[in-house]
Amino acid sequence: DVVMTQSPLSLPVTLGQPASISCRSSQSLVYSDGNTYLNWFQQRPGQSPRRLIYKVSNRDSGVPDRFSGSGSGTDFTLKISRVEAEDVGVYYCMQGTHWPRRFGQGTKVEIK
Amino acid sequence: EVQLEESGGGLVQPGGSLRLSCSASGFTFGTYAMHWVRQAPGKGLEYVSAITTNGYTTDYADSVKGRFTISRDNSKNTLYLQMSGLRPDDSAIYYCVRDFWGMEVWGQGTTVTVSS
């Protein structure tokens, strides 16, 4: 099975400052169709997860443009250009290339 | 509006069974693969199972293989998860998720507690 490893697991940030979360997979996430199925999710306290990014760098509808995804192969990054109070929560990466699907451990973003 | 509404959770004794349902609305259910994902209290997200549009192909996490069965009724716009041989470590919120380039739309979840 593919293992997804996120870092850091805890990320204290200052409002208005950038934040970055890393996600690494134990195998390449490039599928036979040439696409890379790497998703990023946000889970605010007490809420269901919400997808932010699909196929590495595509923002879902309604997601603020301060969120961006990048990477390739086995190394991926979620960046928040300027953290706002509503961004507090846990962020997960997930690979959708191989079966079974796997999530990273989650990164807790909090305000300093 | 796309909506997924889970039901069927509750308290069950170890070794017992439970069937979860997920009612879909606001989209053509039969044209999307679907997933179940769970989250134990205070823990991260764990993939449970997936099913293709026609229900012919399914997949399971090793932790539930042989105990859980995913199915769907496209005429009723409903996804199911039949759970048997339940263990305390199956206690979690169970989410129904629509697949589109990954796990696109999530329900609110239904809580399963396995305890004597």
Side-chain angles (χ1 to χ4, degrees):
Chain A
D1 293 0
V2 176
V3 177
M4 305 297 289
T5 304
Q6 289 182 229
S7 63
L9 300 184
S10 178
L11 185 56
V13 295
T14 301
L15 288 173
Q17 293 301 302
S20 180
I21 300 170
S22 171
C23 175
R24 290 186 172 177
S25 59
S26 60
Q27 299 177 33
S28 173
L29 298 187
V30 180
Y31 190 55
S32 55
D33 64 2
N35 287 309
T36 300
Y37 295 100
L38 187 283
N39 289 183
W40 286 98
F41 301 90
Q42 175 195 62
Q43 188 175 31
R44 291 171 171 152
Q47 295 187 11
S48 299
R50 165 201 184 194
R51 193 173 71 179
L52 301 174
I53 301 286
Y54 64 96
K55 289 199 291 180
V56 180
S57 60
N58 296 274
R59 270 190 306 276
D60 274 281
S61 176
V63 175
D65 61 7
R66 65 179 180 275
F67 290 94
S68 64
S70 63
S72 63
T74 60
D75 290 337
F76 306 93
T77 302
L78 176 70
K79 292 184 179 177
I80 310 174
S81 58
R82 292 174 303 280
V83 172
E84 298 189 4
E86 66 179 17
D87 300 336
V88 165
V90 182
Y91 292 78
Y92 298 90
C93 61
M94 186 216 78
Q95 67 85 13
T97 296
H98 304 282
W99 295 100
R101 307 309 194 209
R102 290 289 288 266
F103 292 89
Q105 314 98 301
T107 296
K108 187 173 184 179
V109 172
E110 57 184 10
I111 305 300
K112 281 184 184 175
Chain B
E1 181 189 2
V2 173
Q3 286 193 324
L4 298 170
E5 185 174 354
E6 302 93 337
S7 60
L11 175 63
V12 61
Q13 293 189 338
S17 299
L18 212 54
R19 188 177 83 157
L20 306 183
S21 299
C22 170
S23 178
S25 60
F27 65 101
T28 306
F29 177 71
T31 62
Y32 289 86
M34 299 293 295
H35 305 267
W36 287 101
V37 174
R38 68 184 181 183
Q39 186 170 35
K43 302 297 185 182
L45 302 173
E46 180 187 14
Y47 164 80
V48 173
S49 184
I51 188 167
T52 52
T53 55
N54 56 18
Y56 290 168
T57 302
T58 59
D59 184 74
Y60 298 93
D62 287 345
S63 57
V64 306
K65 203 170 291 183
R67 300 188 299 121
F68 290 13
T69 301
I70 190 171
S71 62
R72 64 191 298 162
D73 185 336
N74 289 342
S75 69
K76 295 182 178 179
N77 294 334
T78 303
L79 177 71
Y80 302 101
L81 187 67
Q82 178 68 47
M83 306 185 294
S84 61
L86 284 162
R87 310 187 297 224
D89 62 358
D90 293 317
S91 297
I93 298 173
Y94 284 74
Y95 296 102
C96 165
V97 189
R98 184 178 86 170
D99 185 285
F100 184 69
W101 300 134
M103 298 192 185
E104 180 200 14
V105 179
W106 296 62
Q108 289 303 302
T110 186
T111 300
V112 172
T113 303
V114 184
S115 174
S116 54

